[in-house]
Amino acid sequence: TSFATAVNNLGDVIGFSSNGTYRYPVLFSAPGGVQDLSASGIFDPADINDQRVLVDHSFTSKRLDLNTMVVEDLGVPDGPPSYLASTGADINALGQVSGLAIYACCPSCDRVAARYTDGIGWEVFSGCGPSNGASDLNDFGDVVMRVNVGLYVRFEGLGTYRIEDLIVTEVGHWYVYYGYGATINNARQIAVPA
């Protein structure tokens, strides 16, 4: 089987293939055919930007530059509290990564939404929850995140808002479903299931 997880504007397609027993991270669009990325230390490619840098969804989060084949481990946020792992979900043109960090303790409340930025490291944007995490970001660093049972957006320099409260409607109220991801573009438009 094969499963593509992301494509950039240059036509790089990443994802994974499986022979039924083992799963392999791959670059589907490599010049010589499908390229196995296992030797790089990447396991679960999640997204790729136009600079050909992909982010890995496995613990701890890593970035792989397809131009140089150099892997960078993004580590975990500085504590306290202590963190066990991080995982990436999306990467923007600046190389910022949205994702989550996992506490070394507290199994029922162990995940926080976070963003990684070069020179800064991981910034935590939520309290803990069993399934908290940032799923998408745009080139301004705005992040869309799940916090407990709601979807939120953190606009860089403006603050954090519950997305459901931002929907203006003349009749009734929209309920934003948090079970699926939400996306944000550079015009700060957000697509959500509701």
Side-chain angles (χ1 to χ4, degrees), residues 40-124:
S40 69
I42 296 296
F43 177 73
D44 195 3
D47 193 33
I48 187 166
N49 64 19
D50 290 344
Q51 288 70 39
R52 303 192 73 222
V53 178
L54 69 84
V55 63
D56 187 30
H57 186 69
S58 56
F59 303 152
T60 59
S61 187
K62 297 172 189 65
R63 290 186 299 199
L64 169 63
D65 186 329
L66 291 178
N67 296 313
T68 63
M69 295 307 288
V70 172
V71 175
E72 177 187 11
D73 189 322
L74 302 182
V76 298
D78 292 331
S82 296
Y83 289 90
L84 175 67
S86 65
T87 185
D90 195 35
I91 187 167
N92 67 12
L94 302 174
Q96 291 178 305
V97 173
S98 63
L100 61 90
I102 302 174
Y103 289 151
C105 70
C106 323
S108 64
C109 190
D110 66 343
R111 295 167 192 258
V112 295
R115 182 188 68 199
Y116 182 89
T117 303
D118 288 331
I120 296 173
W122 286 102
E123 298 171 274
V124 174

Side-chain angles (χ1 to χ4, degrees), residues 78-182:
D78 292 331
S82 296
Y83 289 90
L84 175 67
S86 65
T87 185
D90 195 35
I91 187 167
N92 67 12
L94 302 174
Q96 291 178 305
V97 173
S98 63
L100 61 90
I102 302 174
Y103 289 151
C105 70
C106 323
S108 64
C109 190
D110 66 343
R111 295 167 192 258
V112 295
R115 182 188 68 199
Y116 182 89
T117 303
D118 288 331
I120 296 173
W122 286 102
E123 298 171 274
V124 174
F125 295 143
S126 76
C128 69
S131 56
N132 290 0
S135 59
D136 195 37
L137 80 163
N138 62 18
D139 292 337
F140 299 112
D142 301 329
V143 296
V144 176
M145 55 194 171
R146 178 177 176 180
V147 179
N148 297 318
V149 295
L151 287 176
Y152 288 77
V153 61
R154 180 188 179 276
F155 293 118
E156 185 68 16
L158 297 175
T160 302
Y161 304 89
R162 191 171 82 151
I163 294 173
E164 190 170 308
D165 295 340
L166 298 176
I167 300 173
V168 177
T169 181
E170 294 178 6
V171 178
H173 177 81
W174 284 94
Y175 171 72
V176 175
Y177 185 67
Y178 61 85
Y180 297 100

